[in-house]
Amino acid sequence: MKTKLPRIFLLLLGAVFLINMLQSYCTPLIFDEAYYWYYAQNMAWGYFDHPPMVAFMIKLGSFLFDGELGVRFVSCIFSVGTFVVIWISIDNPKKRNYVVPFFVLVFSMALLNAYGFFTLPDTPLLFFTALFLYTYKRFLFDSSLRWAIIMGLAMACLMYSKYHAALVIVFVLLSNLKLLANKYAWLSVFVALFCYIPHFIWLYQHDFVTISYHLFDRPNAAYDFQKYTLGYFVNLVAIFGLTFPLIYLSLFKTRSSDTFTKALLYLVYGVLIFFFISSFNRRVQTQWIIVIAIPLAIITFRYMMQNEKVNQWVFRIGLVNIAIILYLRVGLVNEELSPIYYETHGNKAVAEQIKAEVGDTPLIFINSYRNAPMFAFYTGNDTYSLNNAYYRRNQYSIDDSELKLQHQKVLYFSGNPKKSDISFTKSNGGTFYGEFIEDFESFRKLETIVDGPMPLETDKEQILKIYNPYDRPVALKKLRFNVAYLTDFKKVENAILIYPKPVDDKILSLPPNDTINFTFKLPEPKMVEPAYFRVSISDNGLPFGLNGKNTELLY
């Protein structure tokens, strides 16, 4: 199989790489990138929201470059790598005559373009999806030990990128069930699972916190056709931009002429059907279906070489797409040229104001895993997201960031203008209101444990266990408790103070690394038939935290 790249291909590839490098250097971080940069400050085999590949990319790039370019450098490599792998996955000898249309096609795909420089879990997901499909294609021609191992490594990297990768692997397998009788296919699976053992260990050590959050604890809302199902179809357009009719036309016109094409079709239709069904349960985010861009790039380019009319229209509309995308990319850097306010705008300037005013004072943001890492990146200060009962858990809930701030003077961005000592205004008019706390102390990791499911009986004594994971005792006088009642969709509807009593009434503090039993009564809820409740703790007058799991109520 010839893989030598034409000279024009290399020139265009180099141009794309330079554009993405320049964009990476000039564009301030978006909030998710800052969050993943925060991951990379403490390398691990897993993180609260995702596997570790995105953190590894940032860590590697930061060894080579400082600032935003360090965060994004490996993404630039993966982007052009994705283009190369898609290209070599196509066997048609005519493709050397269609190099420019190929680049117009892939560079005009809106999200494929954006992930050319943004560093998000979807960036390696796209690259390793392309690589997995290529190795699978080679494996079909040569089911050998070598390609079995290479395909297993590709699958492992895919799963280290994002959990959605499981869909890619499953739908390719379903397209060719004969693989179940192939010993080398099983070897690939073994290699992938062996390489994934460190992440399995991390999950076990952290009580499968990531799986638990995504499957059980993630808040939801009542079904809304416009936001959920109709929004899903809007996402199918947004992935590709103006060329979407021609891309989906190529999909509908393509038949399973061989095993590899069948895998491409199974992957696209499988993902589309899976998330269409999911849209009746929750809002499907655009990036969740981004993997279809890889098989559809192959399918569409093949069809373009078969149908000159489609090729011409993809080329024309694709150029319009590219012009719009490049304009929007300029707007990411220059706020005055942007048609909308975007999250790259204003954060760096506010960070400079904060740094000038408070120096190295640690910064605490309430309910913001977005602001905390963003301002850590641009100020260099220690930061922390203080998550309360109305928010969600995140990486700040499980790492040691809280410990670093204990008994220090901090600037606490409570958002309350009446209590603020200082404020900072962004270019979009948003204001940060901060108050100084001279001796900050919090116990966000205290864990409340209630055996459930439990009937809603407000006159009955219940057992509440409180686990103190700290290496120091926690005085009970510093704590207050409440019961938060939640809807079927795990949204807190109301919260009511309670006064648990230690079973041993002589206890005045929670011993370190120990569990103490309390008794309490469920308060009368101020809502109709709550579905869940959660016992929360307020430490030193701070907002009530996310200290326990949701306990189901029985009726």
Side-chain angles (χ1 to χ4, degrees):
M1 182 182 294
K2 291 184 178 181
T3 57
K4 186 176 180 181
L5 302 175
R7 184 171 181 271
I8 183 65
F9 186 98
L10 293 174
L11 289 173
L12 290 172
L13 193 71
V16 170
F17 179 70
L18 290 175
I19 289 171
N20 287 338
M21 286 283 284
L22 180 62
Q23 183 89 53
S24 298
Y25 177 79
C26 296
T27 307
L29 297 188
I30 63 174
F31 287 112
D32 281 354
E33 286 182 299
Y35 187 45
Y36 303 133
W37 166 83
Y38 175 69
Y39 280 9
Q41 305 316 296
N42 293 283
M43 289 300 298
W45 285 105
Y47 297 92
F48 182 88
D49 311 79
H50 295 291
M53 182 63 74
V54 67
F56 173 74
M57 292 167 57
I58 294 171
K59 194 71 173 180
L60 181 60
S62 297
F63 281 132
L64 302 173
F65 299 99
D66 295 326
E68 293 91 349
L69 184 57
V71 172
R72 294 170 173 147
F73 175 70
V74 176
S75 293
C76 296
I77 299 293
F78 277 179
S79 175
V80 295
T82 301
F83 287 12
V84 171
V85 176
I86 292 173
W87 176 263
I88 64 176
S89 298
I90 300 166
D91 291 336
N92 193 323
K94 292 171 56 179
K95 70 180 183 180
R96 298 178 71 87
N97 300 322
Y98 288 84
V99 174
V100 175
F102 171 80
F103 271 88
V104 170
L105 169 67
V106 292
F107 198 66
S108 69
M109 291 183 170
L111 286 193
L112 203 60
N113 190 305
Y115 293 133
F117 62 97
F118 283 143
T119 297
L120 303 166
D122 307 280
T123 309
L125 178 70
L126 287 168
F127 173 73
F128 288 113
T129 295
L131 187 63
F132 168 63
L133 291 173
Y134 172 72
T135 58
Y136 173 66
K137 183 176 184 179
R138 296 301 302 266
F139 181 81
L140 292 174
F141 285 99
D142 180 15
S143 295
S144 63
L145 177 65
R146 179 180 65 165
W147 282 107
I149 293 173
I150 294 173
M151 187 165 70
L153 294 173
M155 284 193 288
C157 290
L158 194 55
M159 286 300 299
Y160 270 119
S161 300
K162 198 172 183 180
Y163 296 121
H164 287 90
L167 295 177
V168 178
I169 298 169
V170 167
F171 288 126
V172 169
L173 171 63
L174 290 176
S175 74
N176 184 11
L177 293 178
K178 292 181 180 179
L179 292 172
L180 295 174
N182 187 316
K183 64 180 181 180
Y184 289 113
W186 282 105
L187 176 61
S188 285
V189 173
F190 175 79
V191 169
L193 291 175
F194 179 79
C195 293
Y196 212 59
I197 286 175
H199 185 62
F200 284 135
I201 294 173
W202 183 90
L203 286 171
Y204 175 77
Q205 291 173 338
H206 292 80
D207 298 320
F208 296 94
V209 62
T210 311
I211 307 300
S212 177
Y213 171 73
H214 286 300
L215 294 183
F216 306 112
D217 297 333
R218 195 170 189 141
N220 201 357
Y223 176 70
D224 184 312
F225 173 78
Q226 185 173 346
K227 291 182 179 179
Y228 286 20
T229 305
L230 183 60
Y232 165 72
F233 286 105
V234 172
N235 288 340
L236 296 183
V237 174
I239 291 176
F240 302 112
L242 299 176
T243 56
F244 81 92
L246 297 167
I247 290 173
Y248 290 117
L249 173 65
S250 303
L251 173 65
F252 299 146
K253 291 289 187 178
T254 300
R255 299 292 178 264
S256 300
S257 56
D258 56 76
T259 308
F260 181 65
T261 302
K262 186 178 179 182
L264 299 178
L265 294 173
Y266 265 65
L267 176 53
V268 176
Y269 285 117
V271 169
L272 292 178
I273 293 170
F274 180 88
F275 284 112
F276 172 69
I277 295 171
S278 297
S279 75
F280 291 97
N281 175 258
R282 64 178 64 248
R283 178 177 173 270
V284 176
Q285 297 181 24
T286 312
Q287 65 269 25
W288 292 359
I289 50 180
I290 187 61
V291 291
I292 67 171
I294 302 301
L296 280 177
I298 298 173
I299 288 170
T300 304
F301 185 57
R302 283 174 166 182
Y303 192 67
M304 288 165 60
M305 290 186 287
Q306 297 171 5
N307 190 312
E308 190 59 33
K309 189 173 183 180
V310 169
N311 175 57
Q312 291 174 1
W313 278 107
V314 169
F315 189 84
R316 294 166 184 163
I317 300 174
L319 289 176
V320 177
N321 245 11
I322 290 172
I324 295 171
I325 289 169
L326 291 177
Y327 172 70
L328 293 175
R329 285 176 62 159
V330 170
L332 293 175
V333 182
N334 191 321
E335 186 174 348
E336 294 179 357
L337 294 178
S338 177
I340 60 171
Y341 178 85
Y342 197 63
E343 59 187 84
T344 56
H345 302 148
N347 295 310
K348 193 171 183 179
V350 173
E352 292 172 353
Q353 295 175 38
I354 293 173
K355 188 70 174 179
E357 289 285 341
V358 304
D360 295 330
T361 301
L363 310 173
I364 296 179
F365 296 86
I366 190 166
N367 291 348
S368 188
Y369 71 91
R370 292 157 61 87
N371 282 323
M374 179 68 78
F375 288 94
F377 183 84
Y378 283 115
T379 65
N381 295 21
D382 287 332
T383 64
Y384 178 56
S385 175
L386 188 80
N387 306 317
N388 72 21
Y390 292 87
Y391 197 48
R392 53 154 285 194
R393 301 185 73 200
N394 48 61
Q395 184 62 24
Y396 290 92
S397 303
I398 64 173
D399 64 18
D400 64 351
S401 54
E402 177 193 42
L403 183 62
K404 296 177 181 178
L405 275 61
Q406 299 305 297
H407 301 293
Q408 293 193 51
K409 178 181 178 180
V410 302
L411 180 58
Y412 172 54
F413 289 102
S414 65
N416 187 344
K418 294 181 180 179
K419 297 178 66 176
S420 68
D421 299 312
I422 192 170
S423 64
F424 305 92
T425 301
K426 290 179 66 172
S427 55
N428 69 337
T431 303
F432 293 97
Y433 295 100
E435 58 182 285
F436 290 103
I437 298 177
E438 295 296 329
D439 182 12
F440 177 78
E441 184 183 43
S442 67
F443 307 106
R444 295 281 115 170
K445 293 182 184 291
L446 291 177
E447 185 179 354
T448 59
I449 305 167
V450 178
D451 292 332
M454 177 186 296
L456 180 55
E457 298 174 344
T458 58
D459 58 347
K460 183 179 178 181
E461 293 279 356
Q462 308 286 357
I463 295 296
L464 167 67
K465 300 176 183 178
I466 301 179
Y467 172 62
N468 175 14
Y470 299 100
D471 294 327
R472 62 191 187 278
V474 177
L476 292 178
K477 66 180 181 181
K478 296 181 178 181
L479 308 178
R480 292 188 303 150
F481 301 84
N482 77 10
V483 165
Y485 286 111
L486 295 85
T487 67
D488 287 322
F489 303 104
K490 301 181 179 70
K491 178 183 177 183
V492 175
E493 193 74 16
N494 61 75
I496 303 167
L497 281 172
I498 60 170
Y499 302 92
K501 298 178 182 179
V503 172
D504 181 353
D505 58 10
K506 295 180 181 179
I507 290 178
L508 299 177
S509 64
L510 302 173
N513 301 301
D514 200 359
T515 301
I516 299 298
N517 288 346
F518 291 71
T519 60
F520 79 107
K521 290 183 180 181
L522 286 172
E524 192 69 38
K526 299 176 182 178
M527 61 182 290
V528 178
E529 293 193 354
Y532 304 90
F533 77 92
R534 183 173 62 224
V535 179
S536 299
I537 299 175
S538 167
D539 34 3
N540 292 306
L542 294 169
F544 284 91
L546 290 159
N547 305 95
K549 295 181 179 179
N550 299 330
T551 301
E552 184 180 358
L553 289 166
L554 299 176
Y555 294 93

Short mmCIF file of all heavy atoms in Angstrom, two decimals, residues 23 49 98 148 159 245 316 355 358 442 449 476 481:
data_model
loop_
_atom_site.label_atom_id
_atom_site.label_comp_id
_atom_site.label_asym_id
_atom_site.label_seq_id
_atom_site.Cartn_x
_atom_site.Cartn_y
_atom_site.Cartn_z
N GLN A 23 -2.56 30.41 15.60
CA GLN A 23 -3.81 30.57 16.35
C GLN A 23 -3.61 30.18 17.82
O GLN A 23 -4.08 30.85 18.73
CB GLN A 23 -4.89 29.70 15.74
CG GLN A 23 -6.25 29.84 16.39
CD GLN A 23 -7.09 30.93 15.77
OE1 GLN A 23 -7.28 30.94 14.57
NE2 GLN A 23 -7.60 31.85 16.58
N ASP A 49 -13.57 14.01 35.52
CA ASP A 49 -14.47 14.03 34.36
C ASP A 49 -14.02 13.13 33.22
O ASP A 49 -14.85 12.68 32.43
CB ASP A 49 -14.59 15.46 33.81
CG ASP A 49 -14.89 16.48 34.89
OD1 ASP A 49 -13.94 16.88 35.60
OD2 ASP A 49 -16.04 16.88 35.02
N TYR A 98 -6.91 14.79 -6.32
CA TYR A 98 -7.95 15.49 -5.55
C TYR A 98 -7.41 15.98 -4.20
O TYR A 98 -8.14 16.05 -3.22
CB TYR A 98 -9.13 14.55 -5.29
CG TYR A 98 -9.98 14.27 -6.52
CD1 TYR A 98 -9.60 13.27 -7.42
CD2 TYR A 98 -11.14 14.99 -6.77
CE1 TYR A 98 -10.37 13.00 -8.54
CE2 TYR A 98 -11.92 14.72 -7.89
CZ TYR A 98 -11.52 13.73 -8.77
OH TYR A 98 -12.29 13.46 -9.88
N ALA A 148 -2.26 -6.86 15.23
CA ALA A 148 -3.10 -7.06 16.41
C ALA A 148 -2.61 -6.19 17.56
O ALA A 148 -3.40 -5.54 18.26
CB ALA A 148 -3.10 -8.53 16.82
N MET A 159 -9.39 4.88 24.24
CA MET A 159 -10.12 4.87 25.51
C MET A 159 -9.48 5.81 26.53
O MET A 159 -10.18 6.32 27.41
CB MET A 159 -10.16 3.45 26.06
CG MET A 159 -11.12 2.53 25.33
SD MET A 159 -12.83 3.13 25.39
CE MET A 159 -13.14 3.13 27.15
N PRO A 245 -25.37 19.10 3.79
CA PRO A 245 -26.25 18.31 2.91
C PRO A 245 -25.45 17.36 2.03
O PRO A 245 -25.88 16.22 1.79
CB PRO A 245 -26.96 19.38 2.07
CG PRO A 245 -26.81 20.65 2.82
CD PRO A 245 -25.49 20.54 3.50
N ARG A 316 -16.85 24.36 -3.63
CA ARG A 316 -17.35 25.75 -3.58
C ARG A 316 -17.89 26.11 -2.19
O ARG A 316 -17.51 27.14 -1.61
CB ARG A 316 -18.46 25.94 -4.62
CG ARG A 316 -18.01 25.81 -6.06
CD ARG A 316 -19.20 25.67 -6.98
NE ARG A 316 -18.80 25.45 -8.38
CZ ARG A 316 -19.61 24.99 -9.32
NH1 ARG A 316 -20.88 24.69 -9.02
NH2 ARG A 316 -19.18 24.82 -10.54
N LYS A 355 -4.15 40.38 39.64
CA LYS A 355 -2.75 40.20 40.05
C LYS A 355 -2.16 41.52 40.55
O LYS A 355 -1.44 41.56 41.56
CB LYS A 355 -1.93 39.67 38.87
CG LYS A 355 -0.51 39.27 39.23
CD LYS A 355 -0.50 38.02 40.08
CE LYS A 355 0.92 37.52 40.31
NZ LYS A 355 0.95 36.30 41.16
N VAL A 358 -3.99 42.23 44.16
CA VAL A 358 -3.86 41.35 45.33
C VAL A 358 -2.59 40.52 45.33
O VAL A 358 -2.37 39.73 46.27
CB VAL A 358 -5.09 40.42 45.45
CG1 VAL A 358 -6.37 41.24 45.51
CG2 VAL A 358 -5.15 39.40 44.31
N SER A 442 -11.76 25.21 55.52
CA SER A 442 -12.93 24.51 54.98
C SER A 442 -12.73 23.01 55.12
O SER A 442 -11.60 22.51 55.23
CB SER A 442 -13.16 24.88 53.51
OG SER A 442 -12.10 24.38 52.70
N ILE A 449 -23.04 9.90 55.08
CA ILE A 449 -23.43 8.58 54.57
C ILE A 449 -24.78 8.19 55.19
O ILE A 449 -24.91 8.15 56.42
CB ILE A 449 -22.38 7.51 54.90
CG1 ILE A 449 -20.99 7.95 54.37
CG2 ILE A 449 -22.78 6.16 54.33
CD1 ILE A 449 -19.85 7.13 54.90
N LEU A 476 -17.11 19.88 65.97
CA LEU A 476 -18.51 19.91 65.55
C LEU A 476 -19.10 21.32 65.59
O LEU A 476 -20.02 21.63 64.83
CB LEU A 476 -19.34 18.98 66.44
CG LEU A 476 -19.06 17.48 66.28
CD1 LEU A 476 -19.91 16.67 67.25
CD2 LEU A 476 -19.32 17.03 64.85
N PHE A 481 -25.64 21.52 59.48
CA PHE A 481 -26.12 20.48 58.59
C PHE A 481 -27.47 20.86 57.99
O PHE A 481 -28.25 21.56 58.62
CB PHE A 481 -26.27 19.15 59.34
CG PHE A 481 -24.99 18.66 59.97
CD1 PHE A 481 -24.59 19.13 61.22
CD2 PHE A 481 -24.18 17.74 59.32
CE1 PHE A 481 -23.41 18.69 61.80
CE2 PHE A 481 -23.01 17.29 59.91
CZ PHE A 481 -22.62 17.77 61.15
#
